């Protein structure tokens, strides 16, 4: 018999097909189904729950605000909640890192922040082309989709996706990516239009946990400087502490011209997207990138509380400590299962690449893991990578229980090959 969801909800639904139970409540790194079964969360709602489900300190701020009949949505009007958010992000996140950015509040999804960034880069440079990278993922609205490489998503567009040139991501196709880009830009017969911007994820998450090198990030920054191209970092998934720093580019000591944050920026899983812009590029006219839901006050409140939480709980060193636990486990216990397994990752985002054995093994493994009480996702080319992305606040015991489920599940599926 078909359930309520299958009867009434559109065929487009996706995650529910991998985790086909009805969920009801959640606490930090554990999600409970309606019938009370606990699941360890190695997905963190695609990276939007970095600080855990129902984080008590962030929830307290949100509940307090809600209980006082304060403004809930306000377009982009001035409010106390937004004032506090702007003050908090500046004093707790940007200034300590010597970052000088204007803050643009975008529509509530990551893809809207990406749209704003590329529009603004095009407006600044009066060029239309943008360079993006093989394996990159930037969202589903047409502009962002044109920067996204995954084939099924692109096929959903229904129109041609244009004004983007894809370049090889660091370490792919056997080429020196930065040298290649430089050559293309210098060659008056390359046939490639100089771009307004180069947009990149420093760690491609949906693309299969591809970690770019510090050297490559420097080279791209240098290329952007040399050719007058804006460097945009899409930190939607790997920002907000995921990589072991608040911003994923901090490990390279570079400063992008624009940075897009969404997913965990509200701290509480509420919709929010912002674009950080170097002041000299902040040239949109009033209302030029408008939208009704750019003023979700609960998101502002959650975000302000999350910055305080991030600093108070030394989340940066916590992530680096837990990264060590994950890396050791994956290299020693998973890598040793089969020499064809490739382990990649940084911070609290790791991938187990099974391409060299059989790509479908990844989906089989997460199904097996789900039956054992673990939610994790697949990513990458041919969906061959098991992706590990728990909340940054996951308890040590829950983390090792989850890793053991991954090991048992993969072992079981390897045995049945
Ligand atoms: C790097 C990156 N950019 C953009 C997006 C799009 O964000 P949203 O799904 O909120 O539109 C995602 C979503 O997974 C992402 O991972």
């Amino acid at each position: 018999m078909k359930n309520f969801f299958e009867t009434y909800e559109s065929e487009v639904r996706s995650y529910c097909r991998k985790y086909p139970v009805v969920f009801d409540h959640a606490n930090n790194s554990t999600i409970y189904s309606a019938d009370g079964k606990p699941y360890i969360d190695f997905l963190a709602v695609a990276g939007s729950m970095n600080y855990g489900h129902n984080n008590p300190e962030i929830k307290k701020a949100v509940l307090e605000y809600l209980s006082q009949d304060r403004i809930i949505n306000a377009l982009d009007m001035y409010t106390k909640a937004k004032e506090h958010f702007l003050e908090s992000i500046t004093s707790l996140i940007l200034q300590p890192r010597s970052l000088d950015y204007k803050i643009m509040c975008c529509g509530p999804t990551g893809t809207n922040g990406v749209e704003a960034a590329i529009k603004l880069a095009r407006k600044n440079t009066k060029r239309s082309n943008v360079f993006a990278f093989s394996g990159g993922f930037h969202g589903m609205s047409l502009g962002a989709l044109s920067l996204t490489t995954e084939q099924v998503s692109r096929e959903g567009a229904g129109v041609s996706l244009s004004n983007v040139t894809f370049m090889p991501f660091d370490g792919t196709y056997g080429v020196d990516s930065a040298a290649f880009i430089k050559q293309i830009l210098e060659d008056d017969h390359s046939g490639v239009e100089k771009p307004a911007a180069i947009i990149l994820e420093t760690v491609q998450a949906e693309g299969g946990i591809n970690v770019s090198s510090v050297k490559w990030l420097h080279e791209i920054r240098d290329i952007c400087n040399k050719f007058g191209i804006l460097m945009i970092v899409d930190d939607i998934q790997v920002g907000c502490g995921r990589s072991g720093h608040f911003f994923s580019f901090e490990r390279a000591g570079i400063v992008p011209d624009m940075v897009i944050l969404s997913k965990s920026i509200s701290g509480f899983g509420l919709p929010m997207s912002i674009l950080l812009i170097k002041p000299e590029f902040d040239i949109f006219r009033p209302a030029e990138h408008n939208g009704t839901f750019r003023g979700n006050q609960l998101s502002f409140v959650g975000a302000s509380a999350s910055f305080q939480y991030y600093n108070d709980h030394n989340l940066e060193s916590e992530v680096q400590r837990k990264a060590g636990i994950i890396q050791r486990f994956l290299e020693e216990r998973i890598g040793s299962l089969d020499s064809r397994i490739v382990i990649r990752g940084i911070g609290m985002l790791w991938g187990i690449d099974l391409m060299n054995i059989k790509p479908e093994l990844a989906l089989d493994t997460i199904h097996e893991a789900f039956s054992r009480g673990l939610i994790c996702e697949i990513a990458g080319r041919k969906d061959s990578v098991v992706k590990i992305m728990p909340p940054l606040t996951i308890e040590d015991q829950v983390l090792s229980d989850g890793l053991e489920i991954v090991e048992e599940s993969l072992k079981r599926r390897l045995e049945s090959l």
Side-chain angles (χ1 to χ4, degrees):
M1 198 181 73
K2 280 194 165 192
N3 66 31
F4 213 73
F5 304 98
E6 287 164 4
T7 307
Y8 295 110
E9 196 180 352
S10 156
E11 289 305 310
V12 77
R13 57 192 199 279
S14 68
Y15 291 98
C16 54
R17 297 175 194 270
K18 291 178 193 142
Y19 322 111
V21 301
V22 179
F23 294 103
D24 192 56
H25 55 288
N27 189 279
N28 196 19
S29 54
T30 308
I31 305 183
Y32 298 86
S33 61
D35 59 8
K37 182 172 174 187
Y39 291 87
I40 296 172
D41 183 9
F42 271 16
L43 172 60
V45 195
S48 59
M49 280 295 171
N50 280 8
Y51 313 121
H53 295 266
N54 288 301
N55 179 303
E57 291 175 38
I58 304 172
K59 184 166 72 176
K60 184 165 175 273
V62 171
L63 282 177
E64 244 171 53
Y65 186 86
L66 257 181
S67 71
Q68 294 164 353
D69 276 356
R70 309 280 291 279
I71 300 286
I72 297 298
N73 186 23
L75 300 166
D76 65 4
M77 289 185 277
Y78 297 153
T79 61
K80 289 306 287 179
K82 183 154 77 178
E83 185 179 52
H84 185 46
F85 162 71
L86 293 172
E87 195 277 318
S88 304
I89 192 169
T90 305
S91 65
L92 299 178
I93 301 294
L94 299 178
Q95 280 171 355
R97 293 168 178 79
S98 304
L99 293 170
D100 179 21
Y101 287 123
K102 295 290 285 291
I103 299 146
M104 172 172 171
C105 299
C106 303
T109 56
T111 200
N112 193 270
V114 173
E115 297 293 342
I118 57 173
K119 274 163 78 172
L120 189 54
R122 285 172 171 145
K123 187 176 167 72
N124 266 284
T125 58
K126 301 187 176 53
R127 294 178 216 131
S128 55
N129 196 20
V130 173
F131 281 5
F133 291 96
S134 52
F137 185 94
H138 298 286
M140 290 292 116
S141 54
L142 281 183
L145 190 53
S146 69
L147 307 162
T148 293
T149 52
E150 193 262 321
Q151 209 173 334
V152 172
S153 306
R154 290 180 70 85
E155 283 169 6
V159 294
S160 60
L161 298 169
S162 53
N163 295 309
V164 174
T165 309
F166 288 102
M167 292 288 145
F169 190 67
D170 190 23
T172 55
Y173 303 122
V175 294
D176 178 336
S177 159
F180 179 72
I181 294 170
K182 199 155 167 271
Q183 219 174 353
I184 290 282
L185 290 168
E186 280 168 350
D187 180 7
D188 62 349
H189 278 56
S190 71
V192 176
E193 273 178 43
K194 183 165 144 178
I198 298 182
I199 184 166
L200 60 91
E201 300 152 89
T202 70
V203 183
Q204 293 184 332
E206 301 303 310
I209 327 300
N210 308 313
V211 185
S212 66
S213 65
V214 164
K215 176 172 172 280
W216 184 76
L217 291 169
H218 278 280
E219 288 169 337
I220 298 294
R221 180 65 273 185
D222 290 347
I223 287 171
C224 288
N225 291 347
K226 179 167 181 207
F227 293 92
I229 297 165
L230 301 195
M231 181 178 190
I232 305 173
V233 168
D234 177 345
D235 239 3
I236 289 172
Q237 188 157 166
V238 296
C240 298
R242 176 61 56 188
S243 72
H245 298 280
F246 189 86
F247 295 105
S248 73
F249 52 84
E250 284 179 65
R251 72 187 160 100
I254 54 163
V255 180
D257 299 306
M258 294 186 218
V259 183
I260 314 151
L261 290 170
S262 185
K263 291 201 190 272
S264 279
I265 187 66
S266 81
F268 204 60
L270 297 167
M272 180 170 184
S273 177
I274 58 171
L275 178 63
L276 306 178
I277 311 162
K278 276 193 183 164
E280 62 268 36
F281 300 122
D282 182 33
I283 60 161
F284 269 140
R285 286 169 299 174
E288 205 171 354
H289 188 82
N290 239 354
T292 306
F293 289 108
R294 292 172 301 124
N296 183 333
Q297 308 297 302
L298 291 182
S299 300
F300 291 140
V301 171
S304 306
S306 77
F307 304 143
Q308 196 64 54
Y309 180 89
Y310 188 87
N311 288 350
D312 288 353
H313 292 264
N314 293 322
L315 223 52
E316 223 146 279
S317 50
E318 266 301 276
V319 170
Q320 285 162 16
R321 182 182 69 79
K322 288 177 192 166
I325 297 175
I326 302 172
Q327 180 170 12
R328 262 193 308 283
F329 188 96
L330 295 184
E331 286 175 355
E332 288 168 16
R333 304 266 291 270
I334 303 282
S336 60
L337 295 177
D338 189 301
S339 60
R340 293 168 292 177
I341 294 173
V342 177
I343 307 291
R344 294 188 292 269
I346 189 168
M348 288 181 72
L349 175 61
W350 287 83
I352 304 166
D353 193 339
L354 303 169
M355 179 74 94
N356 297 332
I357 305 177
K358 186 180 169 209
E360 299 78 15
L361 188 56
L363 184 61
D364 292 345
T365 301
I366 69 157
H367 282 154
E368 179 74 34
F370 187 67
S371 72
R372 293 164 183 257
L374 176 78
I375 297 171
C376 62
E377 176 52 322
I378 47 176
R381 291 173 165 91
K382 295 196 189 326
D383 280 337
S384 64
V385 180
V386 174
K387 181 181 178 192
I388 291 172
M389 188 168 61
L392 310 181
T393 51
I394 191 168
E395 306 82 348
D396 283 9
Q397 186 59 51
V398 182
L399 178 58
S400 52
D401 290 348
L403 290 169
E404 274 172 25
I405 295 178
V406 174
E407 182 188 23
E408 287 157 19
S409 307
L410 180 54
K411 241 189 206 162
R412 165 67 67 89
R413 292 302 172 130
L414 279 169
E415 281 160 11
S416 58
L417 273 181

